[in-house]
Amino acid sequence: MRTVLKSGVAAGVLTMALAVSGCVTVIESGAQGTPAEETPAPMAEAAKTEINAVWPKLKDAGLVDAVVEAQIDAIMAEMTIEEKVGQVVQGDISTVKPEDLRKYPLGSILAGGNSSPGGNERATPQQWLDLADAYWRASLDYPSKRKIPLLFGIDAVHGHSNLVGAIVFPHNVGLGATRNPDLMKRIGEVTAYEMSLAGVDWTFAPTVAVSRDKRWGRAYESYSENPADVAAYAGKVVEGLQGADGGDNGVKPGHIMASAKHFLGDGGTLNGKDQGDALISEEELANVHNAGYPPSIEAGVLSVMASFSSWNGEKLTGSHYLLTDVLKDRMGFDGFVVSDWNAQAQVPGCTKVSCPSAFNAGIDMFMAPDSWKGIYENTLAQVKSGEIPMARLDDAVRRILRAKIKGGLFTLGAPKDRAIAGHWENLGKPEHRAVARQAVRESLVLLKNNGSLLPIRGGANVLVVGDGADNIGKQSGGWTITWQGTGNANTDFPNGQSIFGGISDAVKASGGTATLSVDGTYKTKPDVAIVVVGEEPYAEFQGDRQSLDYQSGERKDLALIKSLKKAGIPVVTVFLSGRPLWVNPEINASDAFVAAWLPGTEGGGVADVLIGDKAGKARHDFKGRLSFSWPKTAAQQPLNVGTPGYDPQFAYGFGLTYANKGDLLPLPEESGLKDAGVVNVDTYFTAGRVRAPWGFFLADPKGATGGDGALTSPQGFVTQTVVDAGAQEAGRLLTFTGQGKGEAYFGGTIVDLTRQSAGELAVALTYRLDAAPKGPVMLALGRDRFVYQEMDIAGLLTADGQFHTVKIRLNCYAAIGLRMTQIGMPFALKSEAPLKLTYTSVKLASNEGDAVCPK
């Protein structure tokens, strides 16, 4: 077996043995770098740069060998410039059609988080295989002397989670708690196998970020705050995905290409902002955030994805020093570097259709989902003009061809012709589900067990409560079926089981009863209640938080727990989250508290540990240990083991077992927040409440009136009343009288929605109309009610007395000139004609193929 850790990989990265045991001390530089001035684009021929010795030199991973290089020489000798440029461009299946590949010799396609066959996120496995096959065959129809197979990539970050029926593993935040590197390899193997069934060649995984601020929306994609843990896992995951010698001797059938990401420092940005800036020293960048790359490279990873983020003011996608001098030259990475989703547009001096500076800096393949044609045409022109040197293009093409050959693309054949592909009886097969169930069991961390309430006697009368109890989508989190992981039903997981399903099976097997009651009501008083609650699914910047307070203001889950306790029912809380959050009040109100993270589709793994046998004896013990420090207050970030002033509520490495006395004294309930209302930029009205920091207003030519509930504009052109809608007072009825222009809008502090616009998020309005609009209904966004852009959505509204959700893409407004950096009015509805509209939700939501631009 290949050794992936060695002495001296990087100062501050400890040995695997220490990382796994939990006896870890992190040594790192505390120095802060000074934000750089705007960095000029690299010159086409960069001068030789002195590389800081803090970066490790790695042993050869075997990607370069004489036979493969000779094969590459022969291929490149017959390639035109057009064909070479095509290899460095990747488009998304939502904008690239198979017939396009007969004209444009693209090297790769991807299916982004919300891209799917025919725009159907719940397409069948066979439709996914058909899609992969159609693109592959079309790519070989391009008129060329050499037929170069197309590379198909997808974000399979916790199993092949885009595919209905595939196994969804716990997210990395939970896997980090298992302290089991060998299990990571097995998870990689199962993921690769299920991807191979669908004819997919490449996953954008593993994420080897070291998350140092848990407010980051991608914290759950990180294994640990400790670089030693990430180093211990990274190489193992690569070996599982590609095979133990995939980089050296080639990826074999049943395995796929891996991509370590996001290089570099994405987990260290200021305030945990996604796509933000890591204002840290080079020593900290190397010793902490680079920890996962040496073992990945030595395990033979064939690609690395560059980060959206910046280091001291310089975008990583445009950093010649880090991409070329450090990654390729110093660390000897011989695979190729792919950019993130249109990341080139964030490099100074670039647009999403033109960025020679990023390519010259070391990007080998542009991920240009909707910009592929412009990138192709401009890059071709830049090579012909000499702005991009031919040597740089040839180096990028060589690296891509090397990965394609090592990845097996030249020998596998078309997706439908591969021996493994299409055998759907092997999708979610029992032995693979058992691996996921083991991962769930070992990831659970017991924080409290007063009076040894756990394990629960199997023959008990158990009430299972909360909106996460029978909700496989919620327990799986983001990057599940869709990008944000929202809108999923249990039927979307035919090979999965909810947490309630697992508890019910375990309790019934021992002669007990399990009753599901989301709201906590019951007919017969139970022996114990298991409350399953937690974060709603999110991905990337949509998960960024300003604090770690779980439920600011109205703590509805706390009220649920307390209502059960008041009735004299012992309560076990199972908390679903992508990071540690401040839940001291919820912990105090519970008799036992379990951090279950985002366990994926094997909810039975939770029951394996919580539910004992008929006599109450444990069937499985808790093994999970915190790989992220648990905060004492909601404002306690960043919080990392080994740093000055370290004072967590539960320390890194903490986790009770049944052998421990689990009683916990009451925890302090001061959140530490000065302004608990500042919590979101994307949710404006839900559950019958206007969400802080936003305010609601009705306006007409005489001015505006603000408030929440019953309101009337100054001239009475528009009114609002409180109505029941699914729940008591959960809706608002807007009545536009038709006497003149009336406006209903949410306003507040100026926010920047650039990332949300680029990420194809949409304004989502859940509404009911009993009668069709009699005139235009304008949906406006802007700085305020005086500076805005608007579109008529009347034609998109359905008037049938039922509730519907209409989604309007933010980038529709950007396209007509709205400055997305200056949004103080994220939603305004206007009408001059009579209109009655009831709404229950106004927020930003993921485009799951159902968001549009009004015509």
Side-chain angles (χ1 to χ4, degrees):
M1 182 179 292
R2 183 189 300 273
T3 301
V4 297
L5 285 179
K6 62 183 180 181
S7 176
V9 164
V13 179
L14 308 181
T15 65
M16 183 184 294
L18 286 176
V20 175
S21 71
C23 302
V24 180
T25 302
V26 179
I27 304 169
E28 59 177 289
S29 167
Q32 292 289 310
T34 302
E37 298 296 326
E38 182 173 335
T39 306
M43 298 297 290
E45 296 293 340
K48 187 68 176 177
T49 304
E50 182 177 349
I51 302 173
N52 193 319
V54 72
W55 301 100
K57 292 183 177 181
L58 307 179
K59 67 180 181 182
D60 182 21
L63 270 65
V64 177
D65 64 65
V67 173
V68 169
E69 297 309 302
Q71 186 177 352
I72 295 171
D73 288 341
I75 295 171
M76 291 184 65
E78 294 187 313
M79 293 177 71
T80 64
I81 294 178
E82 288 77 8
E83 290 165 352
K84 289 180 179 180
V85 170
Q87 286 298 305
V88 308
V89 178
Q90 178 188 63
D92 188 82
I93 61 170
S94 62
T95 62
V96 179
K97 306 305 177 190
E99 53 267 27
D100 291 326
L101 300 179
R102 297 183 176 96
K103 180 179 179 181
Y104 295 92
L106 301 190
S108 179
I109 58 168
L110 80 153
N114 283 334
S115 299
S116 52
N120 177 15
E121 295 287 359
R122 289 152 187 85
T124 66
Q126 185 61 46
Q127 288 172 321
W128 276 101
L129 179 58
D130 291 345
L131 178 145
D133 192 80
Y135 279 96
W136 194 95
R137 294 180 190 275
S139 72
L140 297 191
D141 287 341
Y142 181 84
S144 62
K145 294 181 179 179
R146 287 283 188 166
K147 301 300 182 182
I148 302 173
L150 185 74
L151 177 59
F152 184 14
I154 204 164
D155 285 283
V157 297
H158 62 143
H160 190 16
S161 53
N162 283 62
L163 192 69
V164 171
I167 295 166
V168 179
F169 289 93
H171 269 297
N172 292 352
V173 64
L175 297 181
T178 68
R179 299 296 202 274
N180 190 342
D182 289 334
L183 179 60
M184 301 308 105
K185 180 178 179 180
R186 188 74 183 107
I187 289 170
E189 291 171 344
V190 174
T191 300
Y193 183 84
E194 295 206 331
M195 291 183 70
S196 298
L197 289 174
V200 183
D201 313 299
W202 180 26
T203 176
F204 306 132
T207 301
V208 295
V210 181
S211 178
R212 303 290 278 179
D213 191 319
K214 289 70 180 182
R215 292 173 293 183
W216 185 33
R218 305 191 79 153
Y220 66 71
E221 296 185 54
S222 174
Y223 295 109
S224 177
E225 70 190 35
N226 189 337
D229 295 336
V230 177
Y233 284 2
K236 290 290 187 180
V237 179
V238 172
E239 288 182 3
L241 292 167
Q242 294 190 170
D245 60 350
D248 190 354
N249 295 318
V251 174
K252 305 300 189 298
H255 290 278
I256 48 93
M257 289 172 52
S259 183
K261 69 181 188 182
H262 307 86
F263 191 82
L264 185 64
D266 50 340
T269 60
L270 183 65
N271 298 324
K273 181 181 179 181
D274 190 45
Q275 303 181 23
D277 197 354
L279 304 179
I280 57 178
S281 68
E282 186 166 356
E283 288 72 24
E284 185 174 346
L285 186 69
N287 295 340
V288 175
H289 297 284
N290 190 51
Y293 292 94
S296 297
I297 292 168
E298 291 186 338
V301 72
L302 290 168
S303 67
V304 166
M305 184 181 291
S307 179
F308 270 119
S309 60
S310 304
W311 174 45
N312 291 331
E314 181 184 33
K315 282 291 179 182
L316 267 296
T317 302
S319 175
H320 187 279
Y321 177 69
L322 290 174
L323 295 181
T324 297
D325 298 334
V326 170
L327 178 62
K328 295 178 179 179
D329 295 345
R330 176 77 174 189
M331 293 199 291
F333 175 59
D334 291 318
F336 71 92
V337 177
V338 61
S339 63
D340 209 332
W341 184 279
N342 274 335
Q344 68 274 6
Q346 298 185 14
V347 176
C350 291
T351 67
K352 69 178 185 179
V353 296
S354 178
C355 196
S357 60
F359 195 76
N360 286 333
I363 294 295
D364 299 307
M365 180 183 287
F366 286 110
M367 183 184 289
D370 58 350
S371 55
W372 59 271
K373 190 176 295 184
I375 276 284
Y376 172 80
E377 292 170 347
N378 285 317
T379 302
L380 179 61
Q382 289 150 5
V383 171
K384 289 181 176 179
S385 73
E387 188 174 6
I388 295 176
M390 182 60 72
R392 172 76 272 270
L393 177 64
D394 284 345
D395 173 62
V397 173
R398 177 172 293 275
R399 289 171 176 274
I400 293 167
L401 292 177
R402 183 182 296 139
K404 287 187 173 185
I405 294 169
K406 290 283 187 174
L409 267 66
F410 282 83
T411 57
L412 281 171
K416 283 187 177 180
D417 295 340
R418 300 172 189 176
I420 292 174
H423 286 277
W424 305 122
E425 69 276 11
N426 293 325
L427 184 66
K429 59 183 180 178
E431 56 265 44
H432 288 168
R433 291 186 63 181
V435 176
R437 190 159 177 158
Q438 176 189 352
V440 175
R441 285 197 301 268
E442 296 188 12
S443 70
L444 303 176
V445 178
L446 180 61
L447 299 179
K448 178 181 180 180
N449 193 20
N450 281 16
S452 297
L453 178 58
L454 294 173
I456 296 169
R457 179 175 53 85
N461 174 15
V462 181
L463 183 69
V464 188
V465 176
D467 62 5
D470 193 34
N471 190 334
I472 301 175
K474 181 163 181 166
Q475 74 191 38
S476 297
W479 292 111
T480 304
I481 306 296
T482 65
W483 174 39
Q484 293 294 317
T486 55
N488 293 323
N490 286 357
T491 52
D492 295 324
F493 305 95
N495 293 320
Q497 184 178 45
S498 71
I499 292 173
F500 168 72
I503 292 171
S504 180
D505 286 352
V507 171
K508 289 178 181 177
S510 293
T513 59
T515 303
L516 176 67
S517 174
V518 172
D519 64 1
T521 57
Y522 53 87
K523 294 181 179 179
T524 302
K525 185 177 179 179
D527 298 319
V528 63
I530 299 175
V531 179
V532 187
V533 292
E535 289 189 290
E536 295 300 321
Y538 56 83
E540 299 191 42
F541 49 81
Q542 277 297 93
D544 284 359
R545 300 178 66 109
Q546 294 187 345
S547 81
L548 292 185
D549 194 4
Y550 168 49
Q551 288 183 334
S552 299
E554 181 186 11
R555 305 185 80 91
K556 64 181 182 66
D557 292 338
L558 176 63
L560 178 61
I561 295 167
K562 285 184 172 181
S563 69
L564 294 164
K565 286 290 291 178
K566 187 177 181 180
I569 301 169
V571 173
V572 178
T573 297
V574 175
F575 189 56
L576 304 173
S577 70
R579 53 198 146 197
L581 292 171
W582 188 74
V583 286
N584 283 13
E586 288 78 7
I587 293 175
N588 285 340
S590 307
D591 297 285
F593 197 94
V594 178
W597 314 112
L598 299 170
T601 50
E602 290 301 321
V606 176
D608 288 344
V609 184
L610 269 61
I611 308 299
D613 60 17
K614 291 182 179 180
K617 182 180 179 181
R619 297 181 297 140
H620 294 272
D621 203 348
F622 284 92
K623 291 185 176 182
R625 301 292 181 270
L626 292 179
S627 60
F628 291 99
S629 303
W630 203 281
K632 184 171 287 185
T633 73
Q636 198 178 18
Q637 283 297 307
L639 175 68
N640 297 292
V641 63
T643 55
Y646 181 68
D647 183 27
Q649 187 66 69
F650 300 104
Y652 167 89
F654 180 85
L656 299 170
T657 70
Y658 286 137
N660 301 128
K661 181 175 175 57
D663 288 353
L664 183 69
L665 293 175
L667 304 175
E669 295 193 6
E670 291 296 325
S671 70
L673 297 178
K674 295 179 180 179
D675 183 1
V678 182
V679 294
N680 87 88
V681 299
D682 52 20
T683 302
Y684 315 119
F685 182 88
T686 58
R689 294 170 62 90
V690 176
R691 296 299 170 179
W694 303 101
F696 179 77
F697 305 87
L698 296 182
D700 55 32
K702 288 290 186 180
T705 303
D708 185 5
L711 286 175
T712 302
S713 69
Q715 286 182 281
F717 289 180
V718 57
T719 65
Q720 176 172 276
T721 55
V722 178
V723 296
D724 295 342
Q728 186 175 1
E729 298 188 355
R732 300 290 185 268
L733 171 62
L734 291 173
T735 301
F736 295 85
T737 64
Q739 297 171 292
K741 181 187 288 186
E743 303 177 33
Y745 69 94
F746 295 89
T749 304
I750 298 291
V751 297
D752 182 354
L753 296 184
T754 303
R755 295 180 302 163
Q756 287 82 351
S757 176
E760 289 238 338
L761 292 189
V763 178
L765 169 67
T766 300
Y767 71 95
R768 184 183 70 209
L769 277 179
D770 295 321
K774 296 182 179 180
V777 179
M778 308 306 293
L779 179 60
L781 280 74
R783 188 188 69 189
D784 50 40
R785 56 185 289 249
F786 306 105
V787 180
Y788 58 86
Q789 294 288 346
E790 60 183 11
M791 295 184 180
D792 184 4
I793 64 168
L796 301 176
L797 301 177
T798 301
D800 60 3
Q802 304 296 317
F803 277 99
H804 301 273
T805 297
V806 62
K807 292 182 180 180
I808 309 300
R809 298 202 317 266
L810 286 175
N811 58 18
C812 305
Y813 291 88
I816 59 174
L818 183 62
R819 292 181 61 191
M820 303 309 297
T821 58
Q822 296 286 311
I823 304 299
M825 185 183 71
F827 178 93
L829 204 63
K830 307 180 183 183
S831 177
E832 294 187 40
L835 175 72
K836 286 189 175 182
L837 180 146
T838 300
Y839 68 93
T840 58
S841 175
V842 182
K843 61 183 181 180
L844 299 187
S846 173
N847 175 9
E848 297 167 4
D850 54 355
V852 298
C853 285
K855 295 181 180 178

